[in-house]
Amino acid sequence: MSAETNNAIVVLTGAGISKESGLDTFRDADGIWAKVRLEEVATPEAFARDPEGVHEFYNSRRRKLREGDVRPNAAHAALARLEAEWPGSVLIVTQNVDNLHERAGSKNLIHMHGEHVKARCAHCGVTLVWECDMSRDDVCADCGRPGGMRPHIVWFGEMPLQMERIFAALETCALFVSIGTSGNVYPAAGFVQHARLSTNAHTVELNLEPSESATLFAESHYGPATEVVPGYVERLLETGQVN
Ligand code: BV8
Ligand code: ZN
């Protein structure tokens, strides 16, 4: 693909983009990991050791998404507008397990760490839409066996989803934008380096404050996502230029 026609955009999002919708981040002072240890709720070993405790951790977050007044915000909407109006492909790779991007209208979307509203059967491997509470007593709608349903979530030590498709997009994009992520969790935190080194993409960080990877970005704008993201998308659509 020649340089002048390549205007593909890859956007990585993290918990910061959903903060102003009322969902906690992980590593902020009031974040999830300040209230519970990830080793107790977000690893396969934790699930083997205390399945009901891990189910309750995800049941309470799924309930908040279902019953709380949690809606997509202006940053999610701006990314859906970018996908609709940009004269090239826009792929959102989200670390988030909430459903706010799709509810804002984004279509070209990969949930690399899984989704709250899905379950997976350990017996037959099927992935099912699952909006209510989950427990070890649940029976798989596909294979009919009980005791195998788990959250369709990628825990620490597990392989993130659709990594080949993500790396292929990183290796052919002209612009990589990272939004609302602290750059602590790999392999997502390594995507900016991969995009820079493999295709010399322009790289932009939009965050409340500089992330762990801040120095790796060619451009950065700091502030709340609902202010910074719509403004950035507006400029991108006005100029049509990725850098
Ligand atoms: C894996 C589950 C092995 C869902 C999550 C090097 C290479 C490979 C792996 C590793 C490595 N080094 C270490 C590892 C292991 C590990 C890892 O990275 N550990 C860390 C802690 C050091 N990685 C893994 O285990 C991954 N798997 O590597 O498999 C493998 C690898 C290759 C091949 C084969 C096998 C699996 C990682 C996924 C784990 N699951 N979550 C859930 O419960 O939600 S990770 C968890 O962290 C969430 O998914 C979350 O999305 C993710 C990242 O967090 P952030 O989204 O960045 O959120 P955070 O709170 O940290 O930051 C929020 C940011 O927003 C802040 O910067 C803040 O300033 C900003 N903000 C706040 N408010 C606003 C805002 N910005 C804008 N506006 C606002 N209003
Ligand atoms: Zn099954």
Side-chain angles (χ1 to χ4, degrees), residues 25-237:
T25 62
F26 290 86
R27 294 170 186 81
D28 284 332
D30 61 348
I32 293 172
W33 299 149
K35 299 170 187 124
V36 63
R37 290 180 62 246
L38 70 86
E39 293 78 9
E40 285 165 16
V41 291
T43 67
E45 296 76 16
F47 187 60
R49 190 172 54 244
D50 177 18
E52 289 313 323
V54 172
H55 274 308
E56 188 39 41
F57 174 64
Y58 286 97
N59 287 342
S60 66
R61 289 170 63 196
R62 195 180 304 108
R63 229 174 280 137
K64 165 107 179 170
L65 196 55
R66 188 178 64 236
E67 295 166 7
D69 184 18
V70 176
R71 279 171 289 176
N73 62 50
H76 297 104
L79 292 181
R81 178 186 172 210
L82 180 64
E83 179 182 340
E85 298 180 19
W86 182 253
S89 83
V90 176
L91 171 66
I92 295 179
V93 180
T94 188
Q95 300 173 88
N96 299 340
V97 293
D98 64 51
N99 56 2
L100 298 181
H101 281 301
E102 41 274 85
R103 285 168 56 194
S106 290
K107 306 261 184 295
N108 196 16
L109 171 66
I110 294 177
H111 279 276
M112 66 179 289
H113 291 166
E115 299 175 67
H116 269 319
V117 293
K118 287 185 182 165
R120 195 183 329 145
C121 173
H123 298 309
C124 71
V126 74
T127 302
L128 303 169
V129 172
W130 199 287
E131 309 225 301
C132 50
D133 285 4
M134 199 185 304
S135 90
R136 296 288 279 172
D137 304 334
D138 286 307
V139 174
C140 173
D142 245 41
C143 70
R145 282 175 278 181
M149 299 319 290
R150 62 162 277 180
H152 182 52
I153 296 286
V154 176
W155 286 323
F156 287 93
E158 295 187 321
M159 178 65 157
L161 306 173
Q162 302 197 52
M163 288 304 293
E164 277 177 34
R165 191 175 149 212
I166 294 169
F167 279 123
L170 291 170
E171 288 155 14
T172 52
C173 70
L175 173 62
F176 174 78
V177 187
S178 178
I179 302 175
T181 181
S182 64
N184 273 292
V185 173
Y186 287 84
F191 288 173
V192 54
Q193 195 73 311
H194 198 89
R196 276 178 44 169
L197 298 181
S198 58
T199 180
N200 195 26
H202 182 54
T203 55
V204 179
E205 175 168 80
L206 308 178
N207 208 50
L208 188 64
E209 61 205 9
S211 72
E212 297 288 319
S213 327
T215 55
L216 296 176
F217 290 88
E219 179 184 347
S220 51
H221 303 280
Y222 296 117
T226 56
E227 291 167 25
V228 170
V229 178
Y232 177 74
V233 166
E234 182 66 38
R235 284 193 305 280
L236 207 49
L237 291 173

